[in-house]
mmCIF file of all heavy atoms in Angstrom:
data_model
loop_
_atom_site.group_PDB
_atom_site.id
_atom_site.type_symbol
_atom_site.label_atom_id
_atom_site.label_comp_id
_atom_site.label_asym_id
_atom_site.label_seq_id
_atom_site.Cartn_x
_atom_site.Cartn_y
_atom_site.Cartn_z
ATOM 1 N N CYS M 1 0.863 -1.181 -0.001
ATOM 2 C CA CYS M 1 -0.003 -0.002 -0.002
ATOM 3 C C CYS M 1 0.909 1.227 0.001
ATOM 4 O O CYS M 1 2.119 1.111 -0.112
ATOM 5 C CB CYS M 1 -0.938 -0.002 1.211
ATOM 6 S SG CYS M 1 -0.086 0.131 2.794
ATOM 7 N N THR M 2 0.333 2.428 0.154
ATOM 8 C CA THR M 2 1.153 3.629 0.222
ATOM 9 C C THR M 2 1.891 3.694 1.562
ATOM 10 O O THR M 2 1.463 3.100 2.564
ATOM 11 C CB THR M 2 0.296 4.898 0.076
ATOM 12 O OG1 THR M 2 -0.680 4.921 1.123
ATOM 13 C CG2 THR M 2 -0.390 4.954 -1.269
ATOM 14 N N ARG M 3 2.971 4.427 1.571
ATOM 15 C CA ARG M 3 3.774 4.589 2.797
ATOM 16 C C ARG M 3 2.959 5.303 3.884
ATOM 17 O O ARG M 3 3.067 4.993 5.057
ATOM 18 C CB ARG M 3 5.043 5.366 2.460
ATOM 19 C CG ARG M 3 6.037 5.463 3.604
ATOM 20 C CD ARG M 3 7.345 6.084 3.139
ATOM 21 N NE ARG M 3 8.245 5.086 2.516
ATOM 22 C CZ ARG M 3 8.513 5.006 1.233
ATOM 23 N NH1 ARG M 3 7.933 5.851 0.380
ATOM 24 N NH2 ARG M 3 9.347 4.097 0.756
ATOM 25 N N ARG M 4 2.139 6.257 3.479
ATOM 26 C CA ARG M 4 1.310 6.993 4.442
ATOM 27 C C ARG M 4 0.326 6.067 5.135
ATOM 28 O O ARG M 4 0.148 6.122 6.370
ATOM 29 C CB ARG M 4 0.531 8.102 3.717
ATOM 30 C CG ARG M 4 -0.331 8.981 4.632
ATOM 31 C CD ARG M 4 -1.383 9.734 3.832
ATOM 32 N NE ARG M 4 -2.307 8.804 3.216
ATOM 33 C CZ ARG M 4 -3.375 8.294 3.836
ATOM 34 N NH1 ARG M 4 -3.643 8.628 5.083
ATOM 35 N NH2 ARG M 4 -4.161 7.452 3.215
ATOM 36 N N ALA M 5 -0.306 5.177 4.383
ATOM 37 C CA ALA M 5 -1.259 4.235 4.973
ATOM 38 C C ALA M 5 -0.559 3.248 5.901
ATOM 39 O O ALA M 5 -1.063 2.902 6.968
ATOM 40 C CB ALA M 5 -2.023 3.492 3.866
ATOM 41 N N ALA M 6 0.633 2.792 5.483
ATOM 42 C CA ALA M 6 1.390 1.853 6.315
ATOM 43 C C ALA M 6 1.762 2.485 7.647
ATOM 44 O O ALA M 6 1.750 1.828 8.694
ATOM 45 C CB ALA M 6 2.640 1.398 5.571
ATOM 46 N N ARG M 7 2.082 3.787 7.614
ATOM 47 C CA ARG M 7 2.403 4.511 8.856
ATOM 48 C C ARG M 7 1.201 4.484 9.804
ATOM 49 O O ARG M 7 1.341 4.230 11.009
ATOM 50 C CB ARG M 7 2.793 5.944 8.535
ATOM 51 C CG ARG M 7 3.111 6.819 9.742
ATOM 52 C CD ARG M 7 3.610 8.179 9.269
ATOM 53 N NE ARG M 7 3.946 9.070 10.368
ATOM 54 C CZ ARG M 7 3.209 10.130 10.717
ATOM 55 N NH1 ARG M 7 2.099 10.428 10.050
ATOM 56 N NH2 ARG M 7 3.582 10.908 11.724
ATOM 57 N N ASN M 8 -0.003 4.716 9.274
ATOM 58 C CA ASN M 8 -1.206 4.642 10.085
ATOM 59 C C ASN M 8 -1.397 3.245 10.678
ATOM 60 O O ASN M 8 -1.682 3.085 11.857
ATOM 61 C CB ASN M 8 -2.444 5.005 9.251
ATOM 62 C CG ASN M 8 -2.875 6.439 9.422
ATOM 63 O OD1 ASN M 8 -3.519 6.806 10.404
ATOM 64 N ND2 ASN M 8 -2.488 7.263 8.464
ATOM 65 N N MET M 9 -1.209 2.241 9.840
ATOM 66 C CA MET M 9 -1.422 0.850 10.283
ATOM 67 C C MET M 9 -0.473 0.467 11.404
ATOM 68 O O MET M 9 -0.831 -0.325 12.288
ATOM 69 C CB MET M 9 -1.231 -0.100 9.095
ATOM 70 C CG MET M 9 -2.264 0.054 8.010
ATOM 71 S SD MET M 9 -1.875 -1.033 6.590
ATOM 72 C CE MET M 9 -2.924 -0.303 5.328
ATOM 73 N N SER M 10 0.741 1.031 11.376
ATOM 74 C CA SER M 10 1.741 0.643 12.370
ATOM 75 C C SER M 10 1.352 1.064 13.778
ATOM 76 O O SER M 10 1.897 0.539 14.755
ATOM 77 C CB SER M 10 3.110 1.237 11.997
ATOM 78 O OG SER M 10 3.123 2.642 12.194
ATOM 79 N N TYR M 11 0.411 1.990 13.904
ATOM 80 C CA TYR M 11 -0.045 2.428 15.224
ATOM 81 C C TYR M 11 -1.355 1.738 15.638
ATOM 82 O O TYR M 11 -1.959 2.110 16.639
ATOM 83 C CB TYR M 11 -0.221 3.943 15.259
ATOM 84 C CG TYR M 11 1.102 4.680 15.237
ATOM 85 C CD1 TYR M 11 1.672 5.087 14.030
ATOM 86 C CD2 TYR M 11 1.799 4.937 16.410
ATOM 87 C CE1 TYR M 11 2.897 5.744 14.004
ATOM 88 C CE2 TYR M 11 3.012 5.588 16.386
ATOM 89 C CZ TYR M 11 3.554 5.993 15.191
ATOM 90 O OH TYR M 11 4.773 6.639 15.172
ATOM 91 N N GLN M 12 -1.774 0.744 14.854
ATOM 92 C CA GLN M 12 -3.039 0.066 15.127
ATOM 93 C C GLN M 12 -2.866 -1.437 15.334
ATOM 94 O O GLN M 12 -3.789 -2.218 15.125
ATOM 95 C CB GLN M 12 -4.038 0.339 13.981
ATOM 96 C CG GLN M 12 -4.353 1.826 13.831
ATOM 97 C CD GLN M 12 -5.158 2.136 12.593
ATOM 98 O OE1 GLN M 12 -6.015 1.350 12.151
ATOM 99 N NE2 GLN M 12 -4.931 3.308 12.015
ATOM 100 N N GLY M 13 -1.652 -1.832 15.727
ATOM 101 C CA GLY M 13 -1.402 -3.238 16.010
ATOM 102 C C GLY M 13 -1.275 -4.103 14.782
ATOM 103 O O GLY M 13 -1.351 -5.341 14.881
ATOM 104 N N LEU M 14 -1.084 -3.504 13.605
ATOM 105 C CA LEU M 14 -1.017 -4.285 12.365
ATOM 106 C C LEU M 14 0.420 -4.564 11.936
ATOM 107 O O LEU M 14 0.637 -5.252 10.932
ATOM 108 C CB LEU M 14 -1.770 -3.547 11.251
ATOM 109 C CG LEU M 14 -3.280 -3.368 11.512
ATOM 110 C CD1 LEU M 14 -3.921 -2.523 10.423
ATOM 111 C CD2 LEU M 14 -3.984 -4.720 11.600
ATOM 112 N N THR M 15 1.394 -4.018 12.674
ATOM 113 C CA THR M 15 2.801 -4.345 12.426
ATOM 114 C C THR M 15 3.408 -4.952 13.692
ATOM 115 O O THR M 15 2.852 -4.809 14.784
ATOM 116 C CB THR M 15 3.609 -3.096 12.018
ATOM 117 O OG1 THR M 15 3.468 -2.085 13.024
ATOM 118 C CG2 THR M 15 3.115 -2.547 10.683
ATOM 119 N N SER M 16 4.529 -5.621 13.539
ATOM 120 C CA SER M 16 5.133 -6.325 14.667
ATOM 121 C C SER M 16 5.554 -5.388 15.802
ATOM 122 O O SER M 16 5.405 -5.710 16.978
ATOM 123 C CB SER M 16 6.344 -7.143 14.198
ATOM 124 O OG SER M 16 5.963 -8.084 13.203
ATOM 125 N N ILE M 17 6.080 -4.206 15.440
ATOM 126 C CA ILE M 17 6.516 -3.232 16.430
ATOM 127 C C ILE M 17 5.635 -1.996 16.285
ATOM 128 O O ILE M 17 5.488 -1.451 15.188
ATOM 129 C CB ILE M 17 7.986 -2.858 16.229
ATOM 130 C CG1 ILE M 17 8.868 -4.119 16.342
ATOM 131 C CG2 ILE M 17 8.426 -1.820 17.258
ATOM 132 C CD1 ILE M 17 10.332 -3.862 16.029
ATOM 133 N N ASP M 18 5.060 -1.542 17.401
ATOM 134 C CA ASP M 18 4.161 -0.410 17.380
ATOM 135 C C ASP M 18 4.879 0.843 16.867
ATOM 136 O O ASP M 18 5.941 1.230 17.361
ATOM 137 C CB ASP M 18 3.620 -0.148 18.791
ATOM 138 C CG ASP M 18 2.502 0.876 18.790
ATOM 139 O OD1 ASP M 18 1.595 0.769 17.954
ATOM 140 O OD2 ASP M 18 2.544 1.806 19.622
ATOM 141 N N GLY M 19 4.309 1.460 15.849
ATOM 142 C CA GLY M 19 4.864 2.700 15.295
ATOM 143 C C GLY M 19 6.013 2.496 14.322
ATOM 144 O O GLY M 19 6.602 3.473 13.852
ATOM 145 N N LYS M 20 6.357 1.256 13.995
ATOM 146 C CA LYS M 20 7.467 1.012 13.089
ATOM 147 C C LYS M 20 7.016 0.172 11.892
ATOM 148 O O LYS M 20 6.350 -0.860 12.061
ATOM 149 C CB LYS M 20 8.603 0.287 13.815
ATOM 150 C CG LYS M 20 9.849 0.068 12.951
ATOM 151 C CD LYS M 20 10.980 -0.570 13.727
ATOM 152 C CE LYS M 20 12.220 -0.769 12.865
ATOM 153 N NZ LYS M 20 13.340 -1.403 13.613
ATOM 154 N N VAL M 21 7.382 0.601 10.703
ATOM 155 C CA VAL M 21 7.060 -0.119 9.472
ATOM 156 C C VAL M 21 8.339 -0.771 8.944
ATOM 157 O O VAL M 21 9.317 -0.083 8.641
ATOM 158 C CB VAL M 21 6.478 0.830 8.403
ATOM 159 C CG1 VAL M 21 6.206 0.063 7.098
ATOM 160 C CG2 VAL M 21 5.205 1.491 8.906
ATOM 161 N N GLU M 22 8.327 -2.093 8.846
ATOM 162 C CA GLU M 22 9.488 -2.820 8.321
ATOM 163 C C GLU M 22 9.355 -2.925 6.800
ATOM 164 O O GLU M 22 8.774 -3.862 6.265
ATOM 165 C CB GLU M 22 9.558 -4.210 8.950
ATOM 166 C CG GLU M 22 10.815 -4.992 8.595
ATOM 167 C CD GLU M 22 10.812 -6.399 9.186
ATOM 168 O OE1 GLU M 22 10.073 -6.634 10.158
ATOM 169 O OE2 GLU M 22 11.558 -7.248 8.654
ATOM 170 N N GLU M 23 9.901 -1.923 6.099
ATOM 171 C CA GLU M 23 9.782 -1.875 4.650
ATOM 172 C C GLU M 23 10.703 -2.911 3.998
ATOM 173 O O GLU M 23 11.876 -3.022 4.348
ATOM 174 C CB GLU M 23 10.142 -0.487 4.134
ATOM 175 C CG GLU M 23 9.160 0.583 4.493
ATOM 176 C CD GLU M 23 9.415 1.900 3.769
ATOM 177 O OE1 GLU M 23 10.091 1.876 2.697
ATOM 178 O OE2 GLU M 23 8.968 2.944 4.261
ATOM 179 N N LEU M 24 10.153 -3.628 3.022
ATOM 180 C CA LEU M 24 10.918 -4.638 2.299
ATOM 181 C C LEU M 24 11.375 -4.137 0.938
ATOM 182 O O LEU M 24 12.477 -4.428 0.499
ATOM 183 C CB LEU M 24 10.079 -5.910 2.134
ATOM 184 C CG LEU M 24 9.572 -6.541 3.444
ATOM 185 C CD1 LEU M 24 8.717 -7.752 3.146
ATOM 186 C CD2 LEU M 24 10.756 -6.926 4.342
ATOM 187 N N THR M 25 10.506 -3.369 0.289
ATOM 188 C CA THR M 25 10.876 -2.797 -1.015
ATOM 189 C C THR M 25 9.852 -1.741 -1.388
ATOM 190 O O THR M 25 8.812 -1.583 -0.733
ATOM 191 C CB THR M 25 10.945 -3.879 -2.107
ATOM 192 O OG1 THR M 25 11.516 -3.308 -3.297
ATOM 193 C CG2 THR M 25 9.559 -4.423 -2.438
ATOM 194 N N GLU M 26 10.152 -1.007 -2.473
ATOM 195 C CA GLU M 26 9.260 0.038 -2.961
ATOM 196 C C GLU M 26 8.924 -0.223 -4.429
ATOM 197 O O GLU M 26 9.767 -0.705 -5.203
ATOM 198 C CB GLU M 26 9.923 1.411 -2.822
ATOM 199 C CG GLU M 26 9.048 2.575 -3.273
ATOM 200 C CD GLU M 26 9.781 3.904 -3.214
ATOM 201 O OE1 GLU M 26 10.596 4.187 -4.133
ATOM 202 O OE2 GLU M 26 9.548 4.662 -2.245
ATOM 203 N N PHE M 27 7.685 0.076 -4.812
ATOM 204 C CA PHE M 27 7.227 -0.053 -6.193
ATOM 205 C C PHE M 27 6.646 1.269 -6.647
ATOM 206 O O PHE M 27 6.121 2.036 -5.846
ATOM 207 C CB PHE M 27 6.110 -1.095 -6.323
ATOM 208 C CG PHE M 27 6.453 -2.485 -5.867
ATOM 209 C CD1 PHE M 27 6.162 -2.889 -4.564
ATOM 210 C CD2 PHE M 27 7.022 -3.399 -6.742
ATOM 211 C CE1 PHE M 27 6.441 -4.182 -4.145
ATOM 212 C CE2 PHE M 27 7.321 -4.684 -6.325
ATOM 213 C CZ PHE M 27 7.027 -5.078 -5.020
ATOM 214 N N THR M 28 6.684 1.510 -7.953
ATOM 215 C CA THR M 28 5.784 2.512 -8.531
ATOM 216 C C THR M 28 4.508 1.763 -8.876
ATOM 217 O O THR M 28 4.517 0.532 -9.078
ATOM 218 C CB THR M 28 6.366 3.138 -9.799
ATOM 219 O OG1 THR M 28 6.566 2.104 -10.791
ATOM 220 C CG2 THR M 28 7.685 3.844 -9.504
ATOM 221 N N GLY M 29 3.406 2.486 -8.985
ATOM 222 C CA GLY M 29 2.163 1.832 -9.368
ATOM 223 C C GLY M 29 2.282 1.123 -10.693
ATOM 224 O O GLY M 29 1.713 0.027 -10.882
ATOM 225 N N GLN M 30 3.042 1.705 -11.616
ATOM 226 C CA GLN M 30 3.175 1.127 -12.948
ATOM 227 C C GLN M 30 3.818 -0.271 -12.883
ATOM 228 O O GLN M 30 3.472 -1.155 -13.672
ATOM 229 C CB GLN M 30 3.998 2.039 -13.847
ATOM 230 C CG GLN M 30 4.064 1.558 -15.298
ATOM 231 C CD GLN M 30 4.459 2.672 -16.248
ATOM 232 O OE1 GLN M 30 4.514 3.831 -15.854
ATOM 233 N NE2 GLN M 30 4.678 2.319 -17.513
ATOM 234 N N GLU M 31 4.745 -0.468 -11.941
ATOM 235 C CA GLU M 31 5.381 -1.770 -11.806
ATOM 236 C C GLU M 31 4.395 -2.847 -11.360
ATOM 237 O O GLU M 31 4.643 -4.038 -11.566
ATOM 238 C CB GLU M 31 6.519 -1.692 -10.785
ATOM 239 C CG GLU M 31 7.722 -0.885 -11.241
ATOM 240 C CD GLU M 31 8.789 -0.821 -10.162
ATOM 241 O OE1 GLU M 31 8.646 -0.023 -9.214
ATOM 242 O OE2 GLU M 31 9.784 -1.585 -10.267
ATOM 243 N N LEU M 32 3.298 -2.438 -10.742
ATOM 244 C CA LEU M 32 2.327 -3.404 -10.207
ATOM 245 C C LEU M 32 1.117 -3.598 -11.109
ATOM 246 O O LEU M 32 0.233 -4.389 -10.795
ATOM 247 C CB LEU M 32 1.847 -2.932 -8.821
ATOM 248 C CG LEU M 32 2.925 -2.845 -7.725
ATOM 249 C CD1 LEU M 32 2.357 -2.155 -6.497
ATOM 250 C CD2 LEU M 32 3.442 -4.232 -7.370
ATOM 251 N N LEU M 33 1.057 -2.860 -12.231
ATOM 252 C CA LEU M 33 -0.089 -2.991 -13.136
ATOM 253 C C LEU M 33 -0.039 -4.332 -13.869
ATOM 254 O O LEU M 33 1.025 -4.846 -14.211
ATOM 255 C CB LEU M 33 -0.095 -1.844 -14.141
ATOM 256 C CG LEU M 33 -0.359 -0.455 -13.561
ATOM 257 C CD1 LEU M 33 -0.277 0.615 -14.651
ATOM 258 C CD2 LEU M 33 -1.716 -0.395 -12.867
ATOM 259 N N GLY M 34 -1.220 -4.882 -14.119
ATOM 260 C CA GLY M 34 -1.332 -6.160 -14.817
ATOM 261 C C GLY M 34 -1.175 -7.375 -13.932
ATOM 262 O O GLY M 34 -1.180 -8.509 -14.412
ATOM 263 N N LEU M 35 -1.046 -7.169 -12.597
ATOM 264 C CA LEU M 35 -0.919 -8.323 -11.680
ATOM 265 C C LEU M 35 -2.231 -9.103 -11.613
ATOM 266 O O LEU M 35 -3.320 -8.527 -11.677
ATOM 267 C CB LEU M 35 -0.576 -7.847 -10.272
ATOM 268 C CG LEU M 35 0.843 -7.344 -9.976
ATOM 269 C CD1 LEU M 35 0.944 -6.967 -8.508
ATOM 270 C CD2 LEU M 35 1.870 -8.400 -10.330
ATOM 271 N N GLN M 36 -2.096 -10.403 -11.457
ATOM 272 C CA GLN M 36 -3.267 -11.241 -11.220
ATOM 273 C C GLN M 36 -3.482 -11.340 -9.701
ATOM 274 O O GLN M 36 -2.565 -11.664 -8.950
ATOM 275 C CB GLN M 36 -3.063 -12.635 -11.803
ATOM 276 C CG GLN M 36 -3.012 -12.679 -13.317
ATOM 277 C CD GLN M 36 -2.919 -14.101 -13.848
ATOM 278 O OE1 GLN M 36 -2.779 -15.051 -13.085
ATOM 279 N NE2 GLN M 36 -3.009 -14.258 -15.159
ATOM 280 N N LEU M 37 -4.720 -11.066 -9.279
ATOM 281 C CA LEU M 37 -5.067 -11.100 -7.864
ATOM 282 C C LEU M 37 -6.233 -12.039 -7.617
ATOM 283 O O LEU M 37 -7.091 -12.238 -8.479
ATOM 284 C CB LEU M 37 -5.462 -9.696 -7.380
ATOM 285 C CG LEU M 37 -4.492 -8.541 -7.643
ATOM 286 C CD1 LEU M 37 -5.126 -7.226 -7.222
ATOM 287 C CD2 LEU M 37 -3.179 -8.769 -6.904
ATOM 288 N N SER M 38 -6.261 -12.576 -6.423
ATOM 289 C CA SER M 38 -7.432 -13.329 -5.949
ATOM 290 C C SER M 38 -8.134 -12.458 -4.934
ATOM 291 O O SER M 38 -7.558 -12.110 -3.887
ATOM 292 C CB SER M 38 -6.995 -14.653 -5.300
ATOM 293 O OG SER M 38 -8.102 -15.310 -4.721
ATOM 294 N N ALA M 39 -9.387 -12.052 -5.228
ATOM 295 C CA ALA M 39 -10.136 -11.134 -4.390
ATOM 296 C C ALA M 39 -11.240 -11.864 -3.641
ATOM 297 O O ALA M 39 -11.905 -12.736 -4.207
ATOM 298 C CB ALA M 39 -10.717 -10.020 -5.239
ATOM 299 N N PRO M 40 -11.464 -11.522 -2.371
ATOM 300 C CA PRO M 40 -12.505 -12.200 -1.602
ATOM 301 C C PRO M 40 -13.916 -11.879 -2.090
ATOM 302 O O PRO M 40 -14.165 -10.790 -2.597
ATOM 303 C CB PRO M 40 -12.285 -11.687 -0.176
ATOM 304 C CG PRO M 40 -11.579 -10.395 -0.344
ATOM 305 C CD PRO M 40 -10.731 -10.535 -1.574
ATOM 306 N N LEU M 41 -14.808 -12.855 -1.977
ATOM 307 C CA LEU M 41 -16.251 -12.766 -2.232
ATOM 308 C C LEU M 41 -16.643 -12.743 -3.709
ATOM 309 O O LEU M 41 -17.693 -13.285 -4.080
ATOM 310 C CB LEU M 41 -16.868 -11.543 -1.538
ATOM 311 C CG LEU M 41 -16.743 -11.484 -0.005
ATOM 312 C CD1 LEU M 41 -17.530 -10.308 0.546
ATOM 313 C CD2 LEU M 41 -17.177 -12.771 0.660
ATOM 314 N N THR M 42 -15.868 -12.123 -4.592
ATOM 315 C CA THR M 42 -16.281 -12.021 -5.986
ATOM 316 C C THR M 42 -16.301 -13.390 -6.677
ATOM 317 O O THR M 42 -15.542 -14.298 -6.321
ATOM 318 C CB THR M 42 -15.339 -11.078 -6.774
ATOM 319 O OG1 THR M 42 -15.749 -11.018 -8.124
ATOM 320 C CG2 THR M 42 -13.894 -11.567 -6.729
ATOM 321 N N SER M 43 -17.154 -13.499 -7.694
ATOM 322 C CA SER M 43 -17.240 -14.743 -8.477
ATOM 323 C C SER M 43 -16.121 -14.848 -9.504
ATOM 324 O O SER M 43 -15.920 -15.905 -10.107
ATOM 325 C CB SER M 43 -18.605 -14.817 -9.181
ATOM 326 O OG SER M 43 -18.800 -13.681 -10.007
ATOM 327 N N ASN M 44 -15.383 -13.757 -9.725
ATOM 328 C CA ASN M 44 -14.240 -13.776 -10.640
ATOM 329 C C ASN M 44 -13.051 -14.438 -9.945
ATOM 330 O O ASN M 44 -12.604 -13.974 -8.893
ATOM 331 C CB ASN M 44 -13.849 -12.366 -11.071
ATOM 332 C CG ASN M 44 -14.840 -11.761 -12.053
ATOM 333 O OD1 ASN M 44 -15.336 -12.450 -12.936
ATOM 334 N ND2 ASN M 44 -15.133 -10.492 -11.887
#
């Protein structure tokens, strides 16, 4: 997700250390276009 959103999540118990985001890598949106995803609930 975006870095801003990850920062928010880190203060809500969604990361291992409160307030810290363990970044693994960075993408531009263009690098992620065309990905195949499995989405919950949809029939696709």
Side-chain angles (χ1 to χ4, degrees):
C1 65
T2 59
R3 187 172 277 108
R4 183 198 64 84
R7 178 175 180 252
N8 262 281
M9 294 176 196
S10 71
Y11 288 92
Q12 298 172 34
L14 297 175
T15 56
S16 301
I17 301 175
D18 190 47
K20 184 177 180 180
V21 178
E22 187 183 339
E23 291 190 22
L24 303 178
T25 190
E26 181 184 78
F27 301 94
T28 61
Q30 186 160 351
E31 291 179 281
L32 297 171
L33 293 178
L35 286 182
Q36 292 185 354
L37 307 174
S38 174
L41 300 187
T42 179
S43 57
N44 287 320

